[in-house]
Amino acid sequence: MNLAIIGLGNMGEAILSGILNQGLVKPENITAADKKFADAEFELPAEFSQITITADNKTAAAEADYIVLAVKPQIINLVLEDIKKEAASKVIISIAAGVKTELLAQYFGARAKIIRVMPNTPALVAEGMSALYYTSAVEADEKAFVDRIFNSLGKTVEVKEEAMDAVTGLSGSGPAFVYLFIEALSDAGVLKGLDRQTALKLAAQTVKGGAEMVLSSDKHPAELKDMVCSPAGTTIAGVVELEENAFRSSVIKAVKAAAERSEELGK
C-alpha cells in the first residue's frame, strides 16, 4: 500500500506521525509533497527520514493508492488541477475546510472514492478530534484503514457531509477558543498574585480535567457545573459574572461565525 501526503504543514505532519507511530504504512511506501522541499536547505525532521519527499505533487500522486490532501482551501483548486490525472481511481482524503465532495468530484469523477475529514490541532499530541464523511464509493476496508489513521491522532466520529461546516466551527476552530479561555484564566491568576507558570499550569490542567470528566462520566455539563457551585459560594459568584457578560452567548456566536466562514470557503 502506497500513501501520498500533499502538504506537510502542521496537520500533514501530525497525520504522518500518527501513521508512522502506529505502523499503518511502511515509511518507504510514503511520499510527502510540499513546495518547501524545493529549498535545498530544508531539513526534514529525523522521525520522517525514511519517507520519500518531493516538491512535485504529480510525482507523489502517481504511485499512491491513498492521497491525503493536507492543504489550505484557498489553494485546493490549484492542487486538484495539478494531480487530477495521476489521482484518478485513487482514494482521496481531503482535510481542506469547507471544500465539498462535489468540488472534488469535478476533478476525479462522480464515482470517485472521496473522504472528507475535519481534524483539529490537538492531533499534534494525539488528542485530536476528527469528523469523517465517506462517499458511497469508498469500500469497507478503505473506510476502516482511514478510520485507523485518524484514530491514531485521537478520536473520530462519522458525520453526514452537511454537518461538516458545523464540525469545522466547533471542533475545528474550537481549540483556538479553548486557548483563549486558558489564557484568560491564567491572566486572572496572575492578576490575583500567582506567578505566570503556576497560573498557566493550573488553568490548563483545570480545562483538561474538566473535559475528561465530561467524556468519562454520564453527567451533563450542567450537572457537573452544579456539583462545583455551592450555595452562596465562590464558584456561583463567578458563574453569575460570566452570565452577565454573555459568556455562553459569545461562545455560540464564535462557533456560528466559524461555521459560516467554512460555508463561504466551500462556495
Side-chain angles (χ1 to χ4, degrees), residues 107-169:
Y107 291 89
F108 305 122
R111 290 294 299 164
K113 298 177 178 182
I114 298 170
I115 301 163
R116 283 188 64 190
V117 186
M118 176 45 59
N120 60 13
T121 55
L124 294 166
V125 291
E127 289 291 348
M129 184 70 236
S130 299
L132 297 93
Y133 166 74
Y134 303 89
T135 59
S136 59
V138 180
E139 298 178 11
D141 59 331
E142 296 164 338
K143 182 176 176 180
F145 172 67
V146 174
D147 195 54
R148 286 199 300 274
I149 289 177
F150 289 93
N151 269 307
S152 74
L153 308 179
K155 299 183 184 299
T156 63
V157 62
E158 186 175 347
V159 299
K160 296 179 180 179
E161 184 166 30
E162 54 264 34
M164 272 296 188
D165 291 321
V167 168
T168 301

Side-chain angles (χ1 to χ4, degrees), residues 179-234:
Y179 301 145
L180 280 173
F181 181 53
I182 291 173
E183 183 183 26
L185 285 175
S186 176
D187 284 346
V190 172
L191 176 66
K192 298 306 293 181
L194 294 172
D195 66 84
R196 174 62 66 182
Q197 184 175 1
T198 299
L200 187 57
K201 185 175 182 179
L202 287 166
Q205 182 59 37
T206 296
V207 171
K208 181 179 180 181
E212 186 57 40
M213 286 192 70
V214 172
L215 291 171
S216 62
S217 75
D218 294 328
K219 294 181 172 60
H220 189 278
E223 186 178 354
L224 293 172
K225 177 206 69 179
D226 289 347
M227 289 168 58
V228 190
C229 293
S230 302
T234 59

Side-chain angles (χ1 to χ4, degrees), residues 9-263:
N10 287 335
M11 285 310 308
E13 287 195 8
I15 293 168
L16 179 55
S17 291
I19 290 169
L20 294 175
N21 290 339
Q22 296 296 316
L24 300 177
V25 181
K26 294 178 180 178
E28 57 266 30
N29 292 343
I30 299 174
T31 300
D34 196 296
K35 61 182 181 180
K36 64 188 176 186
F37 297 146
D39 183 353
E41 296 182 358
F42 178 82
E43 293 186 9
L44 197 67
E47 63 178 311
F48 304 146
S49 61
Q50 296 183 57
I51 72 167
T52 300
I53 63 171
T54 177
D56 182 16
N57 296 333
K58 293 181 180 179
T59 298
E63 300 299 323
D65 301 303
Y66 292 78
I67 301 171
V68 179
L69 299 175
V71 298
K72 300 293 185 183
Q74 292 85 347
I75 65 167
I76 190 74
N77 289 85
L78 295 174
V79 174
L80 295 175
E81 184 66 34
D82 199 22
I83 68 169
K84 62 182 181 181
K85 293 181 180 178
E86 288 77 12
S89 77
K90 311 293 178 67
V91 178
I92 307 296
I93 306 161
S94 171
I95 68 168
V99 177
K100 295 178 172 57
T101 57
E102 181 181 3
L103 173 64
L104 299 171
Q106 290 177 17
Y107 291 89
F108 305 122
R111 290 294 299 164
K113 298 177 178 182
I114 298 170
I115 301 163
R116 283 188 64 190
V117 186
M118 176 45 59
N120 60 13
T121 55
L124 294 166
V125 291
E127 289 291 348
M129 184 70 236
S130 299
L132 297 93
Y133 166 74
Y134 303 89
T135 59
S136 59
V138 180
E139 298 178 11
D141 59 331
E142 296 164 338
K143 182 176 176 180
F145 172 67
V146 174
D147 195 54
R148 286 199 300 274
I149 289 177
F150 289 93
N151 269 307
S152 74
L153 308 179
K155 299 183 184 299
T156 63
V157 62
E158 186 175 347
V159 299
K160 296 179 180 179
E161 184 166 30
E162 54 264 34
M164 272 296 188
D165 291 321
V167 168
T168 301
L170 176 53
S171 61
S173 300
F177 310 149
V178 173
Y179 301 145
L180 280 173
F181 181 53
I182 291 173
E183 183 183 26
L185 285 175
S186 176
D187 284 346
V190 172
L191 176 66
K192 298 306 293 181
L194 294 172
D195 66 84
R196 174 62 66 182
Q197 184 175 1
T198 299
L200 187 57
K201 185 175 182 179
L202 287 166
Q205 182 59 37
T206 296
V207 171
K208 181 179 180 181
E212 186 57 40
M213 286 192 70
V214 172
L215 291 171
S216 62
S217 75
D218 294 328
K219 294 181 172 60
H220 189 278
E223 186 178 354
L224 293 172
K225 177 206 69 179
D226 289 347
M227 289 168 58
V228 190
C229 293
S230 302
T234 59
T235 307
I236 192 63
V239 168
V240 169
E241 191 70 21
L242 290 173
E243 293 288 8
E244 288 181 351
N245 286 277
F247 176 73
R248 286 191 290 181
S249 178
S250 294
V251 173
I252 291 169
K253 288 178 179 178
V255 173
K256 179 174 179 287
E260 289 173 351
R261 178 56 180 153
S262 177
E263 293 171 6

